[in-house]
Amino acid sequence: MSTRGDQARPLHALACLIFAFVLSFLSGRSFIRMHRAERIYPSPGLREQKRLSEYFLPIRKTQGDTDVFIFKGNKPGGNLLIIGGTHPNEPAGFVTAVLLVENIRVERGTILIIPRANASGFSHSDPQEGNPQRFYVPTPTGSRAFRLGSRLTNPVDQWPDPAIYINPAGQKLAGNEARNLNRCYPGRPNGSLTERVAFSIMELIRREEIDFGIDLHESAPEYPVINAIVFHENSAELAAMAMMELQSEGYEIRLEASPPNLRGLTHREWGDHAGIRAVLLETPNASHGRLKGRPSSSLIVDGRDKFYEKASKLGWLFVPYGKEGIPLAHRVARHLAALRALVSSFSELEPDRAIEIEGLPEAEEVRERGVGAFLHSSD
Ligand SMILES: [Zn+2]
C-alpha cells in the first residue's frame, strides 16, 4: 500500500533534478562566456589585424593568443606599441586600448595596439573578491559590456604555481607571480604560458622594429605609484617632457624611475632587452583597492565609493578622492592625455621617427561626454 509521502518522493526528486540541470546549464553558460572575448570594432584607419601567435607560433591555439591591431600611416615614421590588459582587473588600461582601436587613424609612422595583452587573465575572476564578471559602459544606444578579469593568468591555463618563482630576468618572487605577465619579461620560449606570451611580445617588438612601448595600467588609490609615468632610464627626458606638457594642461602626474633591481616588468625589460624606449602609465582605480565598499560595475564605471572618500579625508590616499569619485571616463581621459603628450614628446626628440595620429579623442571631451560616446555603440 502506497502513502502520499511515497508518491511525492519521485516528484520531489524530479524537481531537484530539473533544478540541478538548470543551475548547471546557467553556470556552464556563464563559465563558457568568460572565455569569449568581446568584439572590438576597429576604426576605418585599421591597416591590418594579426594574432600575437604570428610572431611566435607555439602560442597559437592557446588562451594566451590575442589580437594585434596595426595602424599604419602613409608617411614613414616611428613604430609605437601600446598594450592594455596586461592586468585584466585594471579596466582603464584595457578600455583606453579599445577606444584607440575604435577611433584612430595614423598619418605618420605605425602604431600597434594589443588591448588584451594577457588574454588568459580575462577568462577568470580573482577568487574571493566578489568582483562582477563584467562592467557596463553606457553608449548612446545602450550599455556595452566588458569583461573584468584577474591580474593573473587563469590557473586552468597554467598550473600549479611554484612555491617560489624565479623569473626569466633572474628575480625571486612569490609563486603566484609566475602568472603575472608584468613579471615574466623578457619571457622564455619554452616556459610557462605567461612566459611564452611575454616572449611573443618581445618577438613582436623585435620583428616590427618598435621604437617606443607604452603599457597601460591602473592601481589602487592607496598605492604610491599612481597618476604616474614609470619610465626606463632611456626614456627619462621623454617622460619629463610629457610631464611638463601634461601639467600645462592641468594634469598632475608623477614621474617614477623604473627601479633597476625590479625585474621582469615592461618598463625594465623592454628597455634592457629590446633597447626600446619604455614607459608604464598608472591611473587610480578604486575597484581593485583594499579599502573599497561592495565591488560592482558601477564602482568601476562611476568610480564613487564612500570608503575611499573617507580615506581621502583622513589623508590615507595618494590622490584626491571626493564625493564625485574617479570615474572610468576620467581615468581613460588621463591615459589619453598622457599618450598624446608622450607621442608628441617622442616626435620632438626623434623627428625622423615622428608619429602623427588623427582621430585621437580629446581628453577633456572624454571626461565630459563619457567613454561610451567614443566607443562603437552596443549591438
Ligand atoms: Zn597593473
Side-chain angles (χ1 to χ4, degrees), residues 317-346:
L317 306 182
F318 288 86
V319 284
Y321 211 105
K323 208 179 180 57
E324 66 293 347
I326 308 183
L328 182 65
H330 290 200
R331 282 133 57 201
V332 169
R334 179 171 270 280
H335 273 331
L336 290 172
L339 282 168
R340 189 186 289 276
L342 285 164
V343 167
S344 82
S345 303
F346 171 80

Side-chain angles (χ1 to χ4, degrees), residues 149-168:
S150 161
R151 179 177 175 82
L152 305 174
T153 300
N154 193 332
V156 165
D157 302 322
Q158 182 179 318
W159 187 87
D161 290 338
I164 293 170
Y165 174 52
I166 301 174
N167 75 8

Side-chain angles (χ1 to χ4, degrees), residues 87 90 151 217-218:
H87 292 145
E90 298 171 9
R151 179 177 175 82
H217 287 249
E218 296 208 88

Side-chain angles (χ1 to χ4, degrees), residues 84-365:
T86 289
H87 292 145
N89 61 336
E90 298 171 9
F94 163 59
V95 171
T96 302
V98 172
L99 189 133
L100 291 171
V101 171
E102 299 195 353
N103 286 275
I104 66 164
R105 197 174 69 244
V106 171
E107 293 289 314
R108 181 190 292 271
T110 304
I111 300 183
L112 289 91
I113 304 171
I114 307 177
R116 298 181 189 93
N118 186 353
S120 165
F122 280 87
S123 67
H124 71 136
S125 304
D126 286 321
Q128 299 176 350
E129 291 289 335
N131 283 335
Q133 287 192 1
R134 287 177 182 75
F135 57 95
Y136 298 88
V137 176
T139 75
T141 58
S143 61
R144 190 164 151 191
F146 292 102
R147 272 283 303 150
L148 177 69
S150 161
R151 179 177 175 82
L152 305 174
T153 300
N154 193 332
V156 165
D157 302 322
Q158 182 179 318
W159 187 87
D161 290 338
I164 293 170
Y165 174 52
I166 301 174
N167 75 8
Q171 185 146 41
K172 269 189 195 172
L173 298 160
N176 66 351
E177 295 284 38
R179 290 182 287 121
N180 180 350
L181 177 59
N182 209 25
R183 297 296 180 276
C184 289
Y185 290 99
R188 288 185 173 112
N190 300 316
S192 66
L193 180 66
T194 317
E195 290 172 343
R196 281 181 287 149
V197 170
F199 185 82
S200 309
I201 293 174
M202 295 303 284
E203 279 296 286
L204 175 150
I205 289 173
R206 186 178 65 77
R207 285 180 32 200
E208 297 285 358
E209 298 178 350
I210 299 293
D211 298 292
F212 178 22
I214 302 175
D215 187 11
L216 303 171
H217 287 249
E218 296 208 88
S219 54
E222 66 270 31
Y223 288 115
V225 180
I226 200 151
N227 278 352
I229 302 177
V230 189
F231 63 89
H232 187 276
E233 56 270 18
N234 70 15
S235 307
E237 193 183 1
L238 170 66
M241 286 167 68
M243 181 190 75
M244 285 191 283
E245 198 172 319
L246 281 163
Q247 283 180 336
S248 73
E249 291 164 16
Y251 286 97
E252 277 308 318
I253 194 145
R254 289 187 181 89
L255 287 189
E256 299 276 345
S258 171
N261 53 357
L262 187 56
R263 306 300 306 271
L265 293 89
T266 48
H267 51 76
R268 168 56 41 208
E269 310 304 340
W270 285 2
D272 282 10
H273 284 265
I276 67 167
R277 293 177 188 269
V279 303
L280 181 149
L281 301 177
E282 297 276 13
T283 55
N285 170 27
S287 77
H288 77 287
R290 301 324 304 169
L291 308 177
K292 64 178 183 283
R294 194 169 68 85
S296 67
S297 166
S298 130
L299 176 59
I300 294 167
V301 177
D302 304 327
R304 280 192 294 272
D305 186 278
K306 63 180 180 189
F307 298 102
Y308 270 107
E309 201 189 318
K310 200 168 177 187
S312 178
K313 282 185 193 145
L314 293 167
W316 291 356
L317 306 182
F318 288 86
V319 284
Y321 211 105
K323 208 179 180 57
E324 66 293 347
I326 308 183
L328 182 65
H330 290 200
R331 282 133 57 201
V332 169
R334 179 171 270 280
H335 273 331
L336 290 172
L339 282 168
R340 189 186 289 276
L342 285 164
V343 167
S344 82
S345 303
F346 171 80
S347 303
E348 207 178 314
L349 283 170
E350 295 197 35
D352 297 346
R353 308 291 296 161
I355 295 161
E356 282 173 31
I357 315 173
E358 293 289 324
L360 185 68
E362 291 288 342
E364 257 330 285
E365 266 194 83

